[in-house]
Amino acid sequence: MMRAGGLLKLVVLVSVLFVAVFLAFELFESNVNFNLGKVFATKPQHHRCGLSKSCPENHFAFKITSGAASVVGPKMCFQDNILMSGVKNNIGRGINIALLNANRKGLKLLAINRLVGTPGKTGELTKSDSFDMWSGDVNLLIKFLKEIEDGSIVMMATFDDPATKLNDEARNLIADLGSSSISILGFRDNWVFVGGKGIKTKSPFEQHLKNNAETNKYEGWPEVLEMEGCIPVKQE
């Protein structure tokens, strides 16, 4: 009986040891696979300007955001380059404008210059400014608009109040850039727009949100507007 009992205890002990070793190997293998998974995990694909998807070939990527009330300023991105933002300290109350010279030749130059690390001659920011439409001089905006060169891409975003000082001349000049909503832009409206000098049709890149006390997200201001898209490269 004693021998049988001892043999049974030995069998139980060996069985427990076997299970413990098996579980230890399983745990080790699981940790190895998990760590390898983290090492070889595919990183999310980056799209220029953080777009939801990449633009087709021969297109420029952009994203533009309006200001939030009178607190957070607008932001403009073009081909992964931040053109205007609060961080860059080049925005202001009213209408913010960025001008770019972009064509097919410029797209090729931009790609080459990124490889060699030198600034491109086209496809980049040529001029930017902000115009206070609450207490500023609308004539400064009119002068700026009249000096835009043909073929320029024009990006605009509002911050706080974009319309109090706007007159018909300024509105007509912006309409000539392809805007459909500039004629009805009002006090504290939010508006983002991408057009061009010499455009023959109305731009598809425009959003406008009225200042409405019943629907405003912020007290006295509507919700922030964000627009992204792909601009076809001008064919020469």
Side-chain angles (χ1 to χ4, degrees):
M1 291 292 295
M2 291 295 295
R3 287 185 178 181
L7 183 60
L8 181 60
K9 289 181 179 179
L10 180 61
V11 170
V12 171
L13 182 62
V14 171
S15 299
V16 170
L17 181 61
F18 177 82
V19 171
V21 171
F22 175 80
L23 291 176
F25 272 107
E26 285 292 310
L27 181 62
F28 175 78
E29 183 178 2
S30 176
N31 286 334
V32 169
N33 289 336
F34 177 75
N35 291 329
L36 287 176
K38 290 198 296 184
V39 171
F40 294 105
T42 304
K43 293 182 178 180
Q45 186 177 358
H46 172 74
H47 304 300
R48 288 176 177 173
C49 291
L51 268 62
S52 55
K53 61 180 180 180
S54 294
C55 288
E57 187 177 356
N58 293 331
H59 283 68
F60 289 118
F62 78 88
K63 179 178 282 188
I64 183 169
T65 306
S66 70
S70 60
V71 181
V72 181
K75 183 178 180 180
M76 302 183 195
C77 178
F78 185 84
Q79 287 290 90
D80 242 8
N81 297 314
I82 302 300
L83 307 179
M84 302 184 74
S85 70
V87 173
K88 294 181 73 70
N89 196 30
N90 62 348
I91 57 171
R93 178 173 65 181
I95 298 178
N96 293 263
I97 308 177
L99 306 180
L100 301 111
N101 180 15
N103 51 37
R104 186 176 181 83
K105 181 180 179 181
L107 182 63
K108 293 179 179 179
L109 286 173
L110 191 60
I112 294 171
N113 290 329
R114 280 184 175 175
L115 290 175
V116 300
T118 58
K121 295 180 180 179
T122 55
E124 294 182 324
L125 182 69
T126 59
K127 194 174 183 180
S128 66
D129 210 338
S130 61
F131 301 90
D132 187 345
M133 292 291 101
W134 168 251
S135 60
D137 184 357
V138 70
N139 290 308
L140 297 177
L141 172 61
I142 291 172
K143 181 177 183 294
F144 182 94
L145 294 171
K146 287 182 175 180
E147 293 175 352
I148 298 176
E149 296 183 1
D150 284 343
S152 297
I153 291 176
V154 184
M155 302 179 70
M156 298 188 180
T158 58
F159 182 27
D160 194 1
D161 174 33
T164 295
K165 288 295 185 73
L166 271 182
N167 59 19
D168 289 341
E169 184 178 7
R171 291 179 189 271
N172 289 335
L173 288 168
I174 295 174
D176 289 342
L177 299 173
S179 172
S180 301
S181 300
I182 189 62
S183 61
I184 57 172
L185 187 68
F187 175 68
R188 287 186 176 177
D189 287 359
N190 266 345
W191 175 65
V192 289
F193 166 70
V194 179
K197 183 63 176 289
I199 190 171
K200 301 184 186 302
T201 59
K202 292 301 181 182
S203 172
F205 304 118
E206 184 172 27
Q207 292 184 16
H208 175 221
L209 190 58
K210 294 294 292 182
N211 169 25
N212 186 324
E214 295 182 359
T215 59
N216 284 345
K217 181 174 182 179
Y218 311 105
E219 185 177 352
W221 288 271
E223 188 175 359
V224 171
L225 289 176
E226 183 177 271
M227 179 174 65
E228 64 179 50
C230 304
I231 303 171
V233 177
K234 181 181 177 183
Q235 302 295 318
E236 290 186 332

